[in-house]
């Protein structure tokens, strides 16, 4: 079905079918409803295509690399072909490496471990914790945290100034998100890469929120590395990718020591061992690889490519416009933004509701409407605190998070969607927001283990 046909008929499904689209969930008020998964920024549901591909391969599952049996050879080919598919999807250059990891967090920790000694890392306070924190694990690496910019131009200017003033002048790395996991806003990656390279620095792109929504081309963006997770890209949990320049990765000690990473191990006469490590991606892929996870990511890459990013982007933009317009009709709703209302974004929006704690509001959306969203600080605490400032939220309200002495309790609601989101889910969400603000919750809620939950007593 074409995007135009989808737009014409609001009852139809999304362009790419996902698992769970027919799951029914109970409502506290009685009855059941199709579950509306609007938490894609945390984990997107797996594409049906991905699940079918994995299921078709499952009977042929075997050990990867060096196995003599047919299934082992088949699995090895599948694993390495998946690497090539992902490299093509990311626009990797001829000498780039694609390393399979567990997640975006794992990928960026791997890169942090591979940094040359005395590298200086520059990272905006707006980053997800996955790209904000790994650099702190290196005692011989200095980290400069940059204040949240309020325009894309300010982001570039802030970075250029910080790089120009760095002392001493040595290896440097810039880490930046492609799309915010809080606001969904797109960052000026190409301009930031140009600024980094002009000052002798390298740049790694956290594409966890970008790659499911927009094409990411390493060569076009002139980024040195890109990191992302399969579970954001409509693949099941457990696999991620770090792709990009090989030199720092080859020069670093293996991320994990063990079989697969080593090419040759021999005893020395003094009783120790000599180790020759691989210089390919295998250097950082010790242990039995997650062949199913790698294949699932490759399958998702193929599905998105075949569906066509221009069509998917156009359809998602329509949903973004509808969500923003619907929320704008509710004066009590404040949408969070760094770059302003006109900023380009993916299908991720965060907001607060006057008179509501965000945990309470999210609980009511789930229990009374069957809608799954996210509430909290989204593993981006500095950014959300910057966006919320000192806006008060009642400490005693259901689900209000604990605050440090002298601080107010802060949290927000995030709605996120993508290629598997039916129009009905967005329509139901907007209707629910308006009804909750106008009429209030129809059920009583209480705090349990720090969460707001329906009171079923």
């Amino acid at each position: 079905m074409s995007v135009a046909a989808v737009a014409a008929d609001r009852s139809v499904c999304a362009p790419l079918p996902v698992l769970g689209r027919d799951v029914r969930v109970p409502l506290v008020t009685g009855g059941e409803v199709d579950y509306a998964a609007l938490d894609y920024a945390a984990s997107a549901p797996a594409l049906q295509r991905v699940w079918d591909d994995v299921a078709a391969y499952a009977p042929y599952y075997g050990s990867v690399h060096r196995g003599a049996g047919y299934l082992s050879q088949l699995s090895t080919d599948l694993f390495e072909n998946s690497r090539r598919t992902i490299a093509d999807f990311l626009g990797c250059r001829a000498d780039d490496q694609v390393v399979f990891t567990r997640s975006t967090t794992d990928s960026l920790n791997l890169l942090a471990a591979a940094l040359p000694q005395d590298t200086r890392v520059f990272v905006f306070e707006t980053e997800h914790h996955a790209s904000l924190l790994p650099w702190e694990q290196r005692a011989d690496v200095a980290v400069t945290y940059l204040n949240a910019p309020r325009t894309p131009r300010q982001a570039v200017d802030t970075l250029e100034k910080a790089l120009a003033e760095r002392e001493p002048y040595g290896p440097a790395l810039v880490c930046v998100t492609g799309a915010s996991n809080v606001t969904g806003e797109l960052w000026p990656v190409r301009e930031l890469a140009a600024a980094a390279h002009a000052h002798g620095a390298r740049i790694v792109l956290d594409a966890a929120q970008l790659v499911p929504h927009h094409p990411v081309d390493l060569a076009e963006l002139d980024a040195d590395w890109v990191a992302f997770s399969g579970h954001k890209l409509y693949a099941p949990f457990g696999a991620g990718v770090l792709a990009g320049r090989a030199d720092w990765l080859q020069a670093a000690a293996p991320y994990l020591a063990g079989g697969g990473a080593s090419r040759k191990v021999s005893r020395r006469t003094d009783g120790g061992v000599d180790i020759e490590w691989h210089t390919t991606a295998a250097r950082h892929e010790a242990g039995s690889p997650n062949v199913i996870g790698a294949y699932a990511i490759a399958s998702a890459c193929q599905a998105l490519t075949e569906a066509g990013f221009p069509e998917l982007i156009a359809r998602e933009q329509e949903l973004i416009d509808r969500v923003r317009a619907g929320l704008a009709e509710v004066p009590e709703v404040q949408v969070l933004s760094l770059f302003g209302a006109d900023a380009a974004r993916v299908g991720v929006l965060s907001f607060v509701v006057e008179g509501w704690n965000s945990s309470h509001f999210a609980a009511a959306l789930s229990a009374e409407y069957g809608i799954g969203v996210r509430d909290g600080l989204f593993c981006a605490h500095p950014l959300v605190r910057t966006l919320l400032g000192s806006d008060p939220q009642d400490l005693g309200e259901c689900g209000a998070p604990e605050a440090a002495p002298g601080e107010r309790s802060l949290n927000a609601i995030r709605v996120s969607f993508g290629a598997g989101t039916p129009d009905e889910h967005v329509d139901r969400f907007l209707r629910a927001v308006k009804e909750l603000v106008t009429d209030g919750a129809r059920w009583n809620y209480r705090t349990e283990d720090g969460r707001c939950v329906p009171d079923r007593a």
Side-chain angles (χ1 to χ4, degrees):
M1 181 175 289
S2 68
V3 173
V6 170
D9 184 354
R10 298 298 182 192
S11 66
V12 300
C13 294
L16 291 178
V18 295
L19 292 180
R21 60 190 180 275
D22 299 323
V23 168
R24 303 281 290 178
V25 295
L27 304 180
V28 292
T29 52
E32 292 183 343
V33 67
D34 287 344
Y35 181 66
L38 295 179
D39 193 16
Y40 276 47
S43 288
L47 292 178
Q48 185 68 55
R49 151 78 176 273
V50 171
W51 196 257
D52 291 344
D53 283 349
V54 168
Y57 160 67
Y60 302 93
Y61 175 82
S63 65
V64 176
H65 296 145
R66 293 172 301 283
Y70 177 80
L71 297 191
S72 291
Q73 295 178 40
L74 182 68
S75 294
T76 298
D77 287 345
L78 189 73
F79 186 69
E80 295 303 335
N81 286 335
S82 296
R83 197 190 305 273
R84 286 186 282 273
T85 296
I86 294 166
D88 291 342
F89 180 77
L90 295 173
C92 288
R93 297 146 298 212
D95 54 352
D96 284 339
Q97 288 186 348
V98 173
V99 181
F100 287 116
T101 66
R102 295 179 300 170
S103 61
T104 308
T105 303
D106 196 35
S107 296
L108 293 171
N109 274 271
L110 188 166
L111 183 59
L115 296 181
Q117 187 175 357
D118 298 324
T119 298
R120 180 172 291 276
V121 177
F122 295 84
V123 57
F124 287 94
E125 67 172 347
T126 48
E127 293 292 310
H128 186 281
H129 293 173
S131 47
L132 189 73
L133 303 181
W135 328 108
E136 291 282 355
Q137 307 306 304
R138 288 280 301 272
D140 59 346
V141 166
V143 186
T144 298
Y145 295 102
L146 306 175
N147 292 335
R150 288 299 181 170
T151 66
R153 181 68 251 173
Q154 188 180 58
V156 177
D157 292 343
T158 298
L159 177 62
E160 287 185 328
K161 184 174 186 294
L163 289 171
E165 294 175 349
R166 81 181 190 271
E167 292 288 348
Y169 189 90
L173 177 72
V174 176
C175 181
V176 67
T177 188
S180 171
N181 78 302
V182 176
T183 67
E185 292 164 318
L186 297 174
W187 278 63
V189 177
R190 188 178 293 102
E191 292 82 358
L192 290 167
H197 293 152
H199 291 277
R202 299 186 182 190
I203 187 168
V204 57
L205 170 63
D206 175 353
Q209 300 297 338
L210 182 63
V211 73
H213 304 276
H214 284 254
V216 172
D217 189 304
L218 268 173
E220 181 184 351
L221 294 173
D222 199 20
D224 296 281
W225 294 278
V226 61
F228 69 92
S229 297
H231 73 98
K232 311 284 191 186
L233 191 71
Y234 308 102
F237 287 100
V241 167
L242 175 67
R245 296 181 62 160
D247 54 350
W248 283 6
L249 298 177
Q250 291 175 346
Y255 187 46
L256 297 173
S262 56
R263 184 196 301 272
K264 179 181 178 181
V265 180
S266 58
R267 290 293 300 274
R268 296 196 306 262
T269 56
D270 64 4
V273 294
D274 287 323
I275 310 169
E276 180 184 343
W277 301 105
H278 280 292
T279 57
T280 62
R283 184 183 188 88
H284 299 290
E285 293 178 346
S288 298
N290 182 0
V291 59
I292 287 181
Y295 181 44
I297 292 176
S299 173
C301 291
Q302 289 179 316
L304 290 171
T305 300
E306 291 169 7
F309 268 111
E311 291 79 9
L312 295 175
I313 291 171
R315 197 262 177 170
E316 183 175 302
Q317 187 60 53
E318 177 187 297
L319 295 184
I320 293 170
D321 293 343
R322 287 170 58 200
V323 170
R324 291 184 59 198
L327 293 178
E329 295 174 357
V330 186
E332 293 83 357
V333 171
Q334 174 193 349
V335 176
L336 306 182
S337 175
L338 268 178
F339 299 154
D342 295 331
R345 69 181 70 224
V346 298
V348 180
L349 296 95
S350 296
F351 62 97
V352 291
V353 183
E354 181 181 347
W356 285 79
N357 178 270
S358 295
S359 180
H360 188 189
F361 200 88
L365 286 174
S366 174
E368 300 179 28
Y369 295 91
I371 298 170
V373 296
R374 187 81 164 213
D375 67 277
L377 300 176
F378 318 127
C379 292
H381 294 187
L383 171 57
V384 179
R385 291 183 183 279
T386 294
L387 294 173
L388 292 179
S390 59
D391 290 345
Q393 296 199 44
D394 187 351
L395 292 176
E397 193 172 353
C398 179
E402 294 182 359
E407 291 187 356
R408 294 188 180 276
S409 173
L410 300 176
N411 60 349
I413 306 153
R414 183 180 69 192
V415 57
S416 52
F417 41 87
T421 303
D423 289 24
E424 188 276 328
H425 290 183
V426 169
D427 294 339
R428 193 194 322 167
F429 165 75
L430 292 173
R431 183 176 69 253
V433 169
K434 294 174 183 178
E435 289 180 1
L436 286 171
V437 170
T438 302
D439 304 326
R442 292 172 289 172
W443 201 264
N444 293 325
Y445 296 81
R446 59 184 175 84
T447 301
E448 181 179 292
D449 296 329
R451 299 286 307 167
C452 188
V453 298
D455 189 347
R456 302 179 185 274

